[in-house]
Structures are given as C-alpha cells and as structure tokens.
Amino acid sequence: MGERSKSKGGWFGWFIVLIVAAIVVVAVVLTIKKKSEHSEAAPVPGPPGAITKKYSDALDLAMQFFDIQKSGKLVNNKISWRGDSAINDGSGAKLDLSKGMYDAGDHMKFGFPMAFTATVLSWAILEYGDQMNAVNQLESAQDSLKWITDYLINAHPSENVLYVQVGNPDLDHKCWDRPEDMTEKRPLMQVNTSSPGTDVAAETAAAMASASLVFKKVDSTYSGVLLKHAQQLFNFADTYRGSYSVSIPQVQTFYNSTGYGDELLWAASWLYHATGNQSYLDYVTGENGKAFANWGSPTWFSWDNKLAGTQVLLSRVSFFGAKDTSNSEKLGLQMYRKTAVAVMCGLLANSPTATKSRTDSGLIWVSEWNALQHPVASAFLAALYSDYMLTSRTAKLQCDGDSFTPSDLRKFAISQADYVLGNNPMKMSFLVGYGDKYPQYVHHRGASIPADATTGCTDGFQWLNSTKPNPNVAVGALVGGPFLNETYIDSRNNSMQGEPSTYNSAVIVGLLSSLVTTSSVVQSFT
C-alpha cells in the first residue's frame, strides 16, 4: 500500500514537471516567434542616408514646375520665360489675389485643386522635410507652399466667405496667350452662407492647418494666422453644408466635386494634428466618421477624393499613439487603419486583393484623363505607410491571409516612380526635362509661345497648332500620362495626355521626396 502510494505520488510529480516544462517550451517558442517577427522588421532608419541620384535629379526638376505656375509679381524668378502676370486679380473685390498658381496649362485659378496641392505639399514637407533638405529642396518647397497659402489667406476675407475661382473658364479657354499678356476679364467666384461650398472650404481648411504645422518653427506668427483661418473655414464648411459644384454649376465641367464628406474628415484630421484638440478626433471617429468614412472600402486618392489620404493620415495616430483616447476613438482609429491596410493590399500586385486597375507593365491605371495622378498619389501613400511601419517596428501587414512587409510597399512605390521616369514600354519619361526622351509638345500656353512673341487672345492659337516642339521647356511638368494600352500621343492638342497640373506636381514631389534617401518619419508633427 505504501509502496503503491509512493509510486503514484512520484508519477504525479513527474506529470506536473512535464506540464510545467511544456508550458515553458510553448512560452519560449512564442517569445522566439514574436522576437523573430519583430526582428523581421527592417531597422528603424536614422538620419537621411545615401542619396539616390536619379530621384534627387527628378525632384529638382519637379520642384521647378511650381515656379512655372506662379501667378502675380514674381520674386527671385528662376524661369527665364516667365514674368509678372495677373497682378490685378481680386481688385474688383478690393482683394489681392495676384498670387496662387495656375492649375494646369491654362490661366485659371481653381481653389479646389489649388488647396489640395497645398495640403499634399505640406504633408510631403512634414514627413520628408529632412530628406528634401538633404538635397537642397526644402526651402524651395516651403517657398512654393507659401505662394499658395498667401493667396488662400487673402481669398478668405471673412469667416463665412471664401473666393474659390479667379477667371472665367469659358473665356479663358477661348484664348491662347502667355499669362503675361492676358487681356481677358478675370471675374471672381465665391462660396458663402447662401451659396455654400463645404468641399472647397474644408479642403482649404486642410491646406491651412497642414501648412500651419510646416511654418510653426519657421514663422510662428504666420503659422498662427494660418491656423486661425483653418479653424474658421472648417466651422464654415461644417455649419453650412453643401457642394460648391451645386452652388457654382460652371465648375462641374472642370473640377466637379463628387461629395464633401471626405473633405470634412480630411480637414478635421489635419486640424487634430495641428491643434491636438480632442474634439477633432471625436469628429472623425464619431458620427461623422460613420457617415462619411466608408470604412472597409478602399478608394483612390485624388483632388476629388481624400478618403485614402485621411485613412493613412489617421493611421499614423494609430501607429504612434494618441494621448487620452477613449475606447470609441480607438475603435474609430482602428477602422481607419484597417481601411488603409485594404488600400495598401489593393496596390500590392501579389496580394490576394490586388486591384486589376493597372497596365500590363504594372502601372496603376484608373482614368484616361490625367492617368498618372492615381498611380503617383497611390505610390506616395504606400511610401508613407511603409515608413510608418518601419518607424513603429511593425514587421508585416496582412492581406487576406498573406503577409507583406514595408519593403514590399516601398518596392511598389519605386515601381510607379520608375515607370514615370522612363522604365516603361515607351522608354519615355513623363516628367518633362528628365532623361533623354520626354514630351516635347506639352499642352501649356506659356511653354508653347516664344517669350518675345507678341500675341493677342486668338492669334496665339498659331502656337497651339504649330508642328514645332515647344520653344520653352516646362521643366518638371508631370503630364497626364499613357493610355491603358501604354501608348502616348505627343501632341499639343492632346490635353487628355499632355496637360500637366500643379496637383500632379504635389504628389510627384511627395513621392520623390520619400525615395530620394531613407530616414525615419517623425512621430509627431508638433
């Protein structure tokens, strides 16, 4: 009896030892697995590393197109064939709206895409300013941004009034002349409480808020002015809801807005970053998020739709933490990040949920008009998300069961940039001035007319129809891009493919700045 009892007790003791050992082994395995997963993440980048020359050269060119597009009395003009223009813009309303930038190849100032240009350029500077500085482009980027924000400040003369257009597009497009020689009338269009424009007012608020962060350490007074305008414009946009495309039907042919919910979320997200005010985080994660965020459904980032940009911007809050967030705010942020992951998974060619919207050579392709906007904007977001993952030591993202790394996202971003710069079936660069082969017949008035030519409104059309290449090179212009079958018709009359725009410049500057070298993104903009 005693012997059996002892034997049973010994067996039970060994059983306990085995269980404990098994628990220890499982714990060790899980720890090793967790460590190995963590170690799979590339090291957090430090200060800017080695410069990649092709992206540095391309960035230098891309920055110059902002100078080409400047309106007003030019300061330190670097473009030999450009001069002062539109210096009386706004005078009818006793405002100085001479600055700002022409949106594309014509002489219109459309506030909606111009504000988007400023927001994206601000974002690029905030994330990649140290990389821009490493290749001597930061000051130029700040100057170009301020040229737009100076205009936006003047375009907002009172809390609930915003001037959103200078020029009449129908009149403007009946002329083919240099901006320096314009004689056509330049009427003004505004949104206000009786003719609301939530989309354009909110986008302008986003531009002001993001720019306030750019200038916070450079010029705190100017930064404060921008932030005040941003807050007023957001309140105006949110209180008096309505699409500017309804209030101003003429814009529907040019920059029609398909909705304003995305701009409200985009603006509130930037105001949260600029102020740290919790109410803006409540705004995007609460009822307005539920109404407008379209969680779970990836979209394309563009001057018209800001949802994908908002999802990536709010993902950085999730990656790097937010102070005193409530459970509902955390849940909302998780939904934004989850949707941002869906956007990234759609971009990765080997993902189970990869988009089919791409050419045979792998360029994201969504629209015939200005085809390059979407792939370049998508690549910019992918580079940002990749850098958020690296900086936060996040090794992988999951796409329907498959794992991908930050380097996969960066490779995608590089593939789109390289396509633009000439690695495509046409062996042609779509960034004017880059490489040996690029568009010679860019749809751009100033570039197409010799600087010493004397033309009026209509006799300048001889230059539109000329068979000779542009006499002036629109250096840094990112043209519309290829058709789906990867062909490009280099004709001045082919505005669908051959017209550049400032908002294209903003996204290509952001993308090239992300690739010019490596560096850890800042964890807080403030």
Side-chain angles (χ1 to χ4, degrees):
M1 179 93 175
E3 283 294 323
R4 247 184 311 208
S5 189
K6 185 177 177 184
S7 170
K8 189 176 180 182
W11 175 86
F12 185 73
W14 280 111
F15 181 69
I16 295 296
V17 169
L18 287 171
I19 290 175
V20 171
I23 292 171
V24 169
V25 169
V26 170
V28 168
V29 168
L30 288 174
T31 302
I32 291 172
K33 184 181 179 185
K34 190 173 181 182
K35 282 186 176 180
S36 67
E37 284 180 354
H38 215 59
S39 66
E40 286 176 21
V44 177
I51 304 299
T52 304
K53 188 177 185 301
K54 67 176 177 179
Y55 300 132
S56 175
D57 291 346
L59 179 60
D60 179 62
L61 294 172
M63 285 302 309
Q64 293 180 51
F65 190 64
F66 288 128
D67 292 326
I68 288 172
Q69 295 303 94
K70 284 180 178 176
S71 164
K73 188 170 182 60
L74 303 184
V75 181
N76 299 321
N77 181 23
K78 302 168 189 172
I79 309 300
S80 62
W81 47 274
R82 279 302 325 277
D84 299 345
S85 64
I87 57 176
N88 293 318
D89 277 3
S91 58
K94 296 182 178 179
L95 297 173
D96 180 6
L97 300 180
S98 61
K99 283 188 176 181
M101 294 184 185
Y102 304 120
D103 79 298
D106 55 18
H107 303 148
M108 289 297 300
K109 294 179 192 174
F110 290 107
F112 195 33
M114 194 196 303
F116 174 74
T117 298
T119 312
V120 172
L121 184 55
S122 293
W123 198 3
I125 294 170
L126 289 168
E127 302 282 16
Y128 299 117
D130 60 341
Q131 298 176 214
M132 289 180 174
N133 195 45
V135 290
N136 300 313
Q137 296 299 329
L138 177 58
E139 186 177 341
S140 180
Q142 291 170 332
D143 288 346
S144 293
L145 174 61
K146 191 172 185 295
W147 201 266
I148 298 177
T149 54
D150 283 351
Y151 167 87
L152 295 177
I153 287 171
N154 290 348
H156 182 226
S158 60
E159 287 192 34
N160 297 328
V161 173
L162 176 67
Y163 285 86
V164 300
Q165 183 177 302
V166 181
N168 179 312
D170 292 328
L171 290 176
D172 184 86
H173 290 180
K174 288 177 181 177
C175 297
W176 193 269
D177 49 4
R178 298 173 68 246
E180 294 80 2
D181 300 328
M182 280 191 293
T183 56
E184 58 269 26
K185 292 181 179 179
R186 308 273 292 165
L188 309 177
M189 301 297 290
Q190 65 168 251
V191 292
N192 50 49
T193 56
S194 57
S195 297
T198 297
D199 25 34
V200 66
E203 181 57 62
T204 308
M208 302 282 217
S210 55
S212 77
L213 287 165
V214 170
F215 294 110
K216 193 167 187 176
K217 294 179 182 177
V218 181
D219 185 340
S220 60
T221 301
Y222 187 69
S223 172
V225 170
L226 287 169
L227 187 55
K228 181 180 178 182
H229 280 279
Q231 291 170 315
Q232 289 180 351
L233 280 164
F234 180 75
N235 290 336
F236 167 48
D238 193 34
T239 304
Y240 300 93
R241 292 188 178 185
S243 172
Y244 97 119
S245 300
V246 174
S247 296
I248 310 174
Q250 301 97 308
V251 303
Q252 293 175 14
T253 309
F254 303 96
Y255 291 102
N256 182 53
S257 173
T258 54
Y260 57 70
D262 55 317
E263 278 84 24
L264 285 172
L265 298 177
W266 176 238
S269 301
W270 277 113
L271 279 161
Y272 172 69
H273 281 90
T275 66
N277 189 319
Q278 210 71 13
S279 66
Y280 294 114
L281 192 59
D282 292 339
Y283 188 96
V284 297
T285 55
E287 292 306 312
N288 290 288
K290 293 174 185 174
F292 302 129
N294 205 15
W295 287 322
S297 300
T299 50
W300 299 107
F301 186 45
S302 71
W303 58 261
D304 180 41
N305 193 332
K306 320 300 161 40
L307 284 181
T310 302
Q311 288 146 10
V312 171
L313 180 62
L314 290 176
S315 290
R316 81 177 339 276
V317 182
S318 175
F319 273 115
F320 303 128
K323 296 176 182 177
D324 306 321
T325 49
S326 66
N327 287 334
S328 61
E329 288 169 341
K330 287 177 182 175
L331 182 61
L333 287 172
Q334 287 172 6
M335 293 302 294
Y336 280 105
R337 183 165 163 182
K338 183 178 179 181
T339 313
V341 167
V343 172
M344 296 303 125
C345 290
L347 300 177
L348 294 166
N350 295 326
S351 162
T353 55
T355 179
K356 292 181 172 60
S357 299
R358 62 184 89 216
T359 68
D360 290 344
S361 297
L363 178 76
I364 293 293
W365 198 93
V366 179
S367 169
E368 275 193 329
W369 279 93
N370 193 16
L372 286 176
Q373 180 188 189
H374 294 105
V376 175
S378 298
F380 175 52
L381 294 185
L384 285 168
Y385 205 88
S386 170
D387 286 334
Y388 294 168
M389 290 179 70
L390 283 172
T391 304
S392 64
R393 305 290 287 134
T394 304
K396 295 176 181 177
L397 60 81
Q398 296 292 325
C399 299
D400 209 17
D402 288 4
S403 295
F404 296 90
T405 65
S407 65
D408 292 321
L409 288 173
R410 191 170 180 87
K411 286 174 186 174
F412 164 75
I414 288 171
S415 73
Q416 305 301 289
D418 287 354
Y419 189 106
V420 168
L421 297 180
N423 185 15
N424 55 59
M426 295 145 285
K427 303 300 178 187
M428 174 184 190
S429 165
F430 294 102
L431 185 70
V432 176
Y434 185 88
D436 297 325
K437 182 184 178 184
Y438 52 83
Q440 302 293 310
Y441 296 83
V442 178
H443 183 91
H444 189 278
R445 288 188 209 165
S448 71
I449 303 174
D452 59 357
T454 302
T455 59
C457 168
T458 56
D459 58 351
F461 279 103
Q462 62 181 297
W463 302 106
L464 170 64
N465 299 317
S466 168
T467 57
K468 295 179 180 179
N470 286 350
N472 309 310
V473 180
V475 173
L478 180 63
V479 296
F483 287 131
L484 180 58
N485 65 0
E486 301 185 281
T487 59
Y488 180 86
I489 301 169
D490 192 12
S491 166
R492 207 174 285 114
N493 274 297
N494 180 15
S495 56
M496 180 184 288
Q497 289 187 292
E499 187 168 18
S501 62
T502 48
Y503 42 95
N504 273 12
S505 293
V507 290
I508 193 66
V509 162
L511 175 58
L512 293 170
S513 297
S514 75
L515 300 177
V516 73
T517 181
T518 54
S519 179
S520 178
V521 300
V522 295
Q523 295 192 22
S524 172
F525 292 145
T526 55

